[in-house]
Amino acid sequence: MNPKEEFYIGWQSKAPPGIGSQVRQTVVLLLALAIVLGILLGVAQRTIGVSVFEWGKVKSFSGILKSQPYPHLLVTRPGAKAAPATFSSYYLVKPFKFGFDADAASRLDGQKVKLKGTLIYRANQTMIEVVDGSIEPIGSPEELPHATPAVQPVSLGQRTLVGEIVDSKCYLGVMNPGQLTTHRACAIRCISGGIPPVLLVRQTNGPALYFLLVSRDGSPVNKQVLDIIAEPVEITGEVERQGELLILRADPSTYRRL
Amino acid sequence: MGVEYTSVQWNRQKRFYDFALAGGVGAFLLLFGVISKLLFPLITDEILLIRAFGAAAFVLLHVILCIGPLCRLNRRFLPLLYNRRHAGVTMAFLSLVHAVLVIITYHAGGDTNPILSIFKGSPLVGSVAGVPFQPFGFIALVILMLMAATSHDFWLANLSAPVWKSLHMLVYAAYGLLVLHVTFGVLQAEVSPIYVAITALGLVIVLGLHLTAAFKEVALDRSCNDTPGNDGFVDACALADIPEKRARIICLSGERVAIFKYDGKVSAVSNVCQHQNGPLGEGRILDGCITCPWHGYQYLPDTGASPPPFVEKVPTFNVRVKRGRVFVHPKPNPPGTRAEPGVIPVEKIELQTA
């Protein structure tokens, strides 16, 4: 039959030879397209950084609980038993998309506690997802004098910083990648649920910097930043160091969307 | 053609179609997944799956949308159209997996209902990176699921062809929403120009093919002849312009009519197949029946009715053959109404077959 006269009917057992040949060529082309696009789109993804969530590994921790600016645990560094003691600061959060209970943190503020939880870490930032009900005070308050000097805030002056507001729990490892537009919805839920909001400042020559965001009076700003998460933003405020933590004090209404 | 409904009326061509479809989707998912895990071993598994299924669905939607205009431009692509609904349902399923994983991963476990959370993104404030892109995807998913749920011929028959067709034309709204979803979502996060280039190329191909096919169709509609003679019949075409057992499509009063020549007779029916609005005039007369080129639905040329036990019917038109020309009355008869075929004088038949 003249190929131009061929007529295809799907319910017939076989396609006419000319049409069948063309369809086979098209199918091969589409399969090749699937393979090429699968590889290309996979390779072209943005680099994904190193962050870890030790999911399923529950460990015990002890240290001094601090409630400000966001709940965190001061853990004595190994080999730093002589005074003045040095401490690592581990952010504390609850499972799922919730921050550590602020009331519980206030009650235990400054006390030595033990708790169980799962580590989340990225670069020099560490967080513990605390197992519900596992935290309890221990020991005596003698350790407090050691802790106090290490956590005194030190002002680093007024700074203007450009970065992206991320939820610290996902960015530090629970989700990878846990940043940028595609993660925004999750970051909004996490920060709305009390996870500490952090300004992530990417440096071209050096590691990324993390600034815990608080208002000028040092209060949490979770609810005020929800509309400006995962976007390029410029914030001018006072930077201070509190132990290992960098804190940026600024009125959220002055945050500038870039 | 359906008398009773089964989930899928399998045949050899459908099996081949689905085998190729599953192979293509499987190859894409596997390669994307393996390469992502090799290059980025610390990627969260849920996010890897979200990306793989979302990308597969978007790519497959492009293929699906290109099939229609390709068939308008070259009939040899029609086998791709035959079982297109299985590709559509597959695409909807891929989208559903993507969306469920997104809702579980990004929206569940927080202080807000996960579905409401989709619509509680950042407000529109002039920042491209801040445009809430997930609602676009959610609305597109609703459309796709509605289409997938009504894809079976059972729904086509019960909703009626025009309603069903209108519903399924919403795929273009879904595509538009998904282009926005991708543009304000993944394209804001990825830095490689490959993502922008592939998205733009896909849009250009889909639009280009549709526009090219549309121009071809418009040319036919512009040839519409609305001038009836004193007897109300319109001079439609020359008899010699219609190949044997095939049709010539003309436009009468804004409606396309297929004029078939067969066995020394001429009959005219609506060009629109009752099944999925396929172009009957591009079909053939097989076993005495007009056979639709899309899915093989059949109609008797003089009555416009499917042969028993099938029940589909299309409108017929009254026809006359005079002095080597075909005249058609522009007023359609009710679907399934017999119209006396125009009889070709014997000498004309001999002349044409000589």
Side-chain angles (χ1 to χ4, degrees):
Chain A
M1 183 189 285
N2 179 349
K4 288 189 176 177
E5 293 297 316
E6 287 183 346
F7 186 63
Y8 172 81
I9 306 175
W11 42 257
Q12 286 183 338
S13 61
K14 206 169 178 185
I19 290 177
S21 170
Q22 166 135 359
V23 170
R24 279 191 289 277
Q25 288 173 25
T26 308
V27 168
V28 169
L29 191 70
L30 288 173
L31 288 174
L33 183 74
I35 290 169
V36 169
L37 285 178
I39 294 171
L40 205 57
L41 292 173
V43 169
Q45 291 174 96
R46 188 186 183 118
T47 301
I48 291 170
V50 178
S51 64
V52 177
F53 175 36
E54 293 186 347
W55 190 77
K57 291 183 187 172
V58 176
K59 296 176 179 172
S60 296
F61 302 89
S62 62
I64 297 161
L65 192 143
K66 301 295 287 182
S67 63
Q68 299 297 326
Y70 294 93
H72 59 282
L73 190 70
L74 296 175
V75 179
T76 309
R77 284 184 186 156
K81 289 180 181 173
T86 54
F87 298 90
S88 294
S89 301
Y90 292 0
Y91 306 95
L92 299 178
V93 294
K94 291 178 73 174
F96 300 108
K97 296 177 169 66
F98 294 101
F100 195 81
D101 184 357
D103 291 339
S106 296
R107 282 198 305 276
L108 296 168
D109 187 46
Q111 294 190 45
K112 188 169 185 184
V113 299
K114 64 177 182 180
L115 56 85
K116 290 181 178 176
T118 307
L119 277 176
I120 304 162
Y121 49 91
R122 180 177 192 133
N124 63 345
Q125 303 286 302
T126 306
M127 175 177 277
I128 301 169
E129 184 186 85
V130 181
V131 174
D132 281 338
S134 70
I135 189 164
E136 55 184 281
I138 55 169
S140 59
E142 281 87 64
E143 298 218 25
L144 281 179
H146 301 297
T148 306
V151 296
Q152 285 299 313
V154 178
S155 176
L156 301 178
Q158 192 86 356
R159 300 284 175 86
T160 296
L161 300 164
V162 173
E164 172 194 345
I165 300 174
V166 296
D167 79 89
S168 48
K169 184 177 182 182
C170 286
Y171 184 76
L172 294 187
V174 170
M175 286 186 201
N176 196 4
Q179 56 178 324
L180 298 167
T181 316
T182 45
H183 182 262
R184 181 174 56 222
C186 182
I188 291 172
R189 290 279 65 79
C190 284
I191 292 176
S192 177
I195 304 288
V198 162
L199 180 70
L200 166 68
V201 178
R202 301 179 181 90
Q203 301 187 110
T204 48
N205 300 314
L209 299 174
Y210 309 88
F211 296 87
L212 277 169
L213 293 173
V214 295
S215 65
R216 294 208 75 84
D217 64 2
S219 307
V221 291
N222 295 59
K223 297 297 181 187
Q224 294 98 306
V225 303
L226 296 180
D227 287 349
I228 199 169
I229 291 168
E231 295 181 56
V233 62
E234 181 187 275
I235 303 176
T236 300
E238 186 187 351
V239 175
E240 64 182 35
R241 181 181 292 280
Q242 184 176 317
E244 282 190 332
L245 303 178
L246 287 172
I247 296 161
L248 178 56
R249 290 174 178 265
D251 181 352
S253 65
T254 65
Y255 293 1
R256 200 164 72 85
R257 185 179 270 113
L258 297 178
Chain B
M1 305 174 79
V3 176
E4 58 185 49
Y5 295 102
T6 57
S7 56
V8 179
Q9 291 180 323
W10 288 107
N11 60 35
R12 182 178 176 273
Q13 315 250 13
K14 284 186 182 176
R15 287 192 193 92
F16 177 73
Y17 197 108
D18 285 4
F19 182 74
L21 178 65
V25 172
F28 181 94
L29 291 174
L30 191 67
L31 283 165
F32 185 93
V34 169
I35 285 181
S36 299
K37 208 64 187 171
L38 284 175
L39 292 176
F40 315 109
L42 291 176
I43 188 171
T44 303
D45 291 340
E46 295 91 320
I47 294 176
L48 168 60
L49 292 173
I50 286 169
R51 292 179 171 190
F53 277 82
F58 196 51
V59 169
L60 182 56
L61 181 58
H62 281 79
V63 174
I64 292 167
L65 289 176
C66 288
I67 290 172
L70 274 176
C71 291
R72 306 304 305 145
L73 297 169
N74 185 341
R75 296 161 40 80
R76 297 167 76 82
F77 287 108
L78 276 169
L80 298 178
L81 184 103
Y82 175 62
N83 206 27
R84 185 174 51 173
R85 69 180 71 185
H86 283 201
V89 172
T90 303
M91 187 269 162
F93 174 73
L94 293 169
S95 304
L96 182 65
V97 173
H98 168 82
V100 168
L101 285 170
V102 164
I103 290 168
I104 291 172
T105 307
Y106 291 148
H107 295 279
D111 60 356
T112 301
N113 177 293
I115 302 298
L116 287 179
S117 170
I118 294 170
F119 297 92
K120 289 178 75 174
S122 57
L124 286 167
V125 286
S127 160
V128 174
V131 174
F133 68 98
Q134 290 196 347
F136 295 131
F138 184 84
I139 297 167
L141 179 71
V142 171
I143 293 173
L144 294 170
M145 294 312 296
L146 198 59
M147 289 175 60
T150 59
S151 65
H152 197 276
D153 274 356
F154 171 83
W155 289 104
L156 175 60
N158 284 282
L159 291 173
S160 81
V163 172
W164 188 90
K165 193 75 182 176
S166 302
L167 177 68
H168 284 244
M169 289 296 276
L170 286 174
V171 70
Y172 292 104
Y175 177 62
L177 289 165
L178 289 178
V179 169
L180 294 173
H181 178 67
V182 168
T183 302
F184 293 111
V186 66
L187 295 191
Q188 301 304 312
E190 293 296 342
V191 289
S192 168
I194 288 175
Y195 274 85
V196 178
I198 289 176
T199 307
L201 186 65
L203 185 62
V204 167
I205 290 173
V206 168
L207 287 178
L209 282 173
H210 279 80
L211 286 174
T212 308
F215 282 129
K216 186 182 170 191
E217 301 293 314
V218 165
L220 175 65
D221 288 336
R222 279 190 179 153
S223 66
C224 196
N225 180 2
D226 288 320
T227 316
N230 292 335
D231 55 1
F233 280 72
V234 173
D235 185 352
C237 62
L239 193 57
D241 289 344
I242 312 174
E244 178 63 16
K245 295 199 186 298
R246 292 172 66 176
R248 181 178 171 84
I249 301 169
I250 62 158
C251 183
L252 286 180
S253 303
E255 295 294 330
R256 289 189 182 180
V257 177
I259 308 171
F260 280 90
K261 186 165 80 179
Y262 59 102
D263 303 333
K265 294 178 280 187
V266 174
S267 288
V269 299
S270 165
N271 190 51
V272 181
C273 178
Q274 200 199 342
H275 176 222
Q276 284 194 20
N277 293 1
L280 288 178
E282 294 174 25
R284 302 284 170 86
I285 301 275
L286 290 176
D287 303 325
C289 292
I290 296 168
T291 307
C292 181
W294 281 11
H295 299 93
Y297 272 56
Q298 292 190 309
Y299 304 89
L300 293 164
D302 56 341
T303 64
S306 294
F310 303 107
V311 295
E312 287 77 16
K313 293 172 185 172
V314 293
T316 57
F317 293 82
N318 295 333
V319 178
R320 288 177 185 169
V321 176
K322 279 196 278 186
R323 298 183 297 279
R325 296 201 64 83
V326 179
F327 296 83
V328 180
H329 199 287
K331 185 182 174 190
N333 299 312
T337 305
R338 185 174 191 279
E340 190 65 32
V343 178
I344 303 172
V346 175
E347 63 274 20
K348 287 280 180 195
I349 299 171
E350 288 171 347
L351 193 67
Q352 286 166 24
T353 54

